[in-house]
Amino acid sequence: MLLLFDIDDTLFPSTYFSQLSRHNAINAMIDAGLNFPYEHLKEKLDTIVQEKGSNYPYHFDELCKQLSCKNPSKVIAYAVAAYHNTKQSIRTFPSVKRVLLNLKKTHSIYVATEGRAIKQWDKLLRLGVSDFFDDVFISEDLGTPKSEEFYRRILQRLNTVPDNVVMIGDNPTKDIAPAKAVGIKTIRIKQGKYSTIPSNADDEISSFDELLSLF
Amino acid sequence: MLLLFDIDDTLFPSTYFSQLSRHNAINAMIDAGLNFPYEHLKEKLDTIVQEKGSNYPYHFDELCKQLSCKNPSKVIAYAVAAYHNTKQSIRTFPSVKRVLLNLKKTHSIYVATEGRAIKQWDKLLRLGVSDFFDDVFISEDLGTPKSEEFYRRILQRLNTVPDNVVMIGDNPTKDIAPAKAVGIKTIRIKQGKYSTIPSNADDEISSFDELLSLF
């Protein structure tokens, strides 16, 4: 079989690490002399991230501007360093490496992920799994977000039919519904922020090592 | 006295770390599948850095473009990660922290550096000395590159006369000549790429701990 894996909240707890990164960044800004209560800064930052999107590169600059920081360069440098230190220390969910290497003995394994290509590659690298996969498919490279078209293009690239392919991911609307709609078998892993949202997946598991019993 | 310190090649071996960062980035690109000899990649990259300037953020993208990389996102992600890992592991020259903390008992200490403010703050943070200084003066914040005007503005900000101030740095044309021209006492530390270039400094030392005998 050809197994496609999502990255975020499938291979590693991305929601958790994003929150932790912002948490550490806010504490670093306070440490750099930004004299506001943690909760106030968190609320402001969350609003900025929501308004500008998570890929906007100047969240902390914007926060400093809104709060008229006294020493913006220092505060932003502290925030960015704390944020990146945390982002760079990401680790996989338990068993992920062992399970992937095990599956790799009898199947071909691929990444199928949405996002900016360099950022997604960076995650694979930091997680220590970037050399595990036979190929990596990223929405930015394929030219379409995760949708039926995204999965059709992967089938084309793999030169195969949907019956040979399984998609494994956490997101009911990105990983499961569109893959299933083009005939790919789907396994939903109940992790991260979508874990309580219903999905039409063919199988559901609650941790990565349950995959071994399915193949 | 009020002591002003340069950062690059004064507090830490910046020339060495820049070279090491590029060295590690090139090896990472080869590891990511970029099939060229090290020396060829190094030569190309050095040319790009020279042409675009060291603050240009897309050196590796440009290298990939010129070489028609097969998997540019992967190659660039590997390069950027290796580059940043190295840049983030900078360490001070021997004795720097001990000497600064010692001088701080009887003098006020400041940073006077050229560059982008956030990058210079990030260096201080990574070096573990960002809280040591009474204030930090960066050319970007002061609105002028290291020149007589730069030092005049620092004197204004410190509300003092040149006689009370000493500038310590490695660069004869940025740290020594213009500071001396406005009447500041200068100590030149013979480290880094300018170490063999003559200067008109009032004093010359060859390592940071020699400072203790001068104050």
Side-chain angles (χ1 to χ4, degrees):
Chain A
M1 299 287 282
L2 310 179
L3 313 184
L4 309 177
F5 290 90
D6 172 51
I7 296 176
D8 294 278
D9 280 332
T10 296
L11 300 184
F12 83 106
S14 64
T15 301
Y16 168 78
F17 272 105
S18 290
Q19 288 166 349
L20 185 62
S21 299
R22 282 188 209 120
H23 171 81
N24 289 344
I26 290 169
N27 279 334
M29 292 172 106
I30 295 170
D31 193 36
L34 188 61
N35 195 13
F36 287 95
Y38 176 90
E39 285 305 331
H40 180 70
L41 294 173
K42 179 155 185 353
E43 202 175 298
K44 281 247 170 226
L45 183 61
D46 285 348
T47 306
I48 290 167
V49 172
Q50 205 163 20
E51 282 174 8
K52 301 277 184 180
S54 66
N55 279 329
Y56 179 74
Y58 302 113
H59 293 141
F60 304 118
D61 304 60
E62 180 63 28
L63 182 62
C64 253
K65 207 173 121 193
Q66 289 186 13
L67 297 172
S68 311
C69 277
K70 252 193 308 196
N71 197 341
S73 308
K74 180 180 183 183
V75 170
I76 294 165
Y78 272 56
V80 170
Y83 185 83
H84 282 148
N85 284 352
T86 314
K87 280 262 166 183
Q88 287 165 7
S89 64
I90 53 174
R91 292 183 62 86
T92 59
F93 282 115
S95 311
V96 165
K97 287 181 193 174
R98 185 175 53 81
V99 170
L100 287 175
L101 291 172
N102 210 314
L103 292 171
K104 202 170 159 58
K105 289 182 198 166
T106 43
H107 305 277
S108 295
I109 64 175
Y110 302 88
V111 166
T113 183
E114 183 163 277
R116 292 195 47 217
I118 291 176
K119 280 183 90 164
Q120 297 309 89
W121 269 110
D122 186 60
K123 291 173 190 172
L124 294 175
L125 190 57
R126 303 283 178 187
L127 293 171
V129 299
S130 56
D131 290 322
F132 284 27
F133 298 95
D134 296 279
D135 208 345
V136 172
F137 302 111
I138 306 174
S139 61
E140 186 185 32
D141 289 336
L142 290 189
T144 174
K146 267 188 175 170
S147 57
E148 294 182 30
E149 182 58 20
F150 174 81
Y151 293 99
R152 271 196 292 268
R153 289 186 192 180
I154 291 177
L155 292 173
Q156 267 178 355
R157 291 272 294 269
L158 294 173
N159 196 22
T160 191
V161 293
D163 270 356
N164 292 333
V165 182
V166 183
M167 172 69 198
I168 298 113
D170 70 298
N171 188 327
T173 57
K174 299 270 185 179
D175 299 324
I176 306 304
K180 190 166 168 146
V182 302
I184 291 172
K185 194 185 166 213
T186 53
I187 300 176
R188 185 259 187 109
I189 185 158
K190 294 180 94 171
Q191 292 173 160
K193 58 188 164 192
Y194 305 114
S195 61
T196 58
I197 294 174
S199 99
N200 61 342
D202 299 301
D203 270 308
E204 288 199 338
I205 55 176
S206 54
S207 71
F208 210 81
D209 58 352
E210 291 174 45
L211 278 176
L212 288 179
S213 62
L214 294 179
F215 294 103
Chain B
M1 298 288 282
L2 310 179
L3 313 184
L4 308 178
F5 290 91
D6 173 51
I7 296 177
D8 294 278
D9 280 332
T10 296
L11 299 184
F12 83 107
S14 63
T15 301
Y16 168 78
F17 273 104
S18 290
Q19 287 166 349
L20 184 62
S21 299
R22 281 188 210 119
H23 172 80
N24 288 345
I26 290 168
N27 279 335
M29 293 172 106
I30 295 170
D31 192 35
L34 188 62
N35 196 13
F36 287 94
Y38 176 90
E39 284 305 332
H40 179 69
L41 294 173
K42 179 156 184 356
E43 201 175 297
K44 281 246 168 226
L45 183 61
D46 286 347
T47 307
I48 291 167
V49 172
Q50 205 162 20
E51 282 174 9
K52 302 278 184 178
S54 66
N55 279 329
Y56 178 73
Y58 302 113
H59 293 139
F60 304 118
D61 304 60
E62 179 64 28
L63 182 62
C64 252
K65 207 172 120 192
Q66 289 187 11
L67 297 170
S68 312
C69 276
K70 251 194 307 195
N71 196 341
S73 308
K74 181 179 181 182
V75 170
I76 294 164
Y78 272 56
V80 170
Y83 185 82
H84 282 147
N85 284 351
T86 313
K87 279 262 165 179
Q88 288 166 6
S89 63
I90 54 175
R91 292 182 63 86
T92 58
F93 282 114
S95 311
V96 165
K97 286 181 194 175
R98 186 175 54 80
V99 170
L100 287 176
L101 290 172
N102 210 314
L103 291 172
K104 201 170 158 58
K105 289 182 199 166
T106 41
H107 304 277
S108 296
I109 63 175
Y110 302 88
V111 165
T113 181
E114 182 163 276
R116 291 195 46 217
I118 291 177
K119 281 182 88 163
Q120 297 309 90
W121 268 111
D122 187 59
K123 290 174 191 170
L124 294 175
L125 189 57
R126 306 280 179 188
L127 293 171
V129 299
S130 56
D131 291 322
F132 285 27
F133 298 95
D134 296 279
D135 209 343
V136 172
F137 302 110
I138 306 175
S139 62
E140 187 186 31
D141 290 335
L142 291 188
T144 174
K146 267 186 174 171
S147 56
E148 293 181 31
E149 181 58 20
F150 175 82
Y151 293 99
R152 271 195 294 267
R153 289 187 192 181
I154 291 178
L155 292 173
Q156 265 178 358
R157 290 272 292 268
L158 293 173
N159 196 22
T160 191
V161 293
D163 269 356
N164 293 332
V165 182
V166 183
M167 172 70 198
I168 299 116
D170 69 297
N171 188 328
T173 58
K174 299 269 184 180
D175 298 324
I176 307 304
K180 190 166 170 147
V182 302
I184 292 174
K185 193 186 167 211
T186 53
I187 301 176
R188 185 259 186 109
I189 183 157
K190 294 179 95 171
Q191 292 173 157
K193 57 189 164 191
Y194 305 113
S195 59
T196 57
I197 294 175
S199 98
N200 60 343
D202 298 301
D203 271 307
E204 287 200 338
I205 57 177
S206 54
S207 70
F208 209 82
D209 59 351
E210 290 174 46
L211 277 177
L212 288 178
S213 62
L214 293 180
F215 295 103

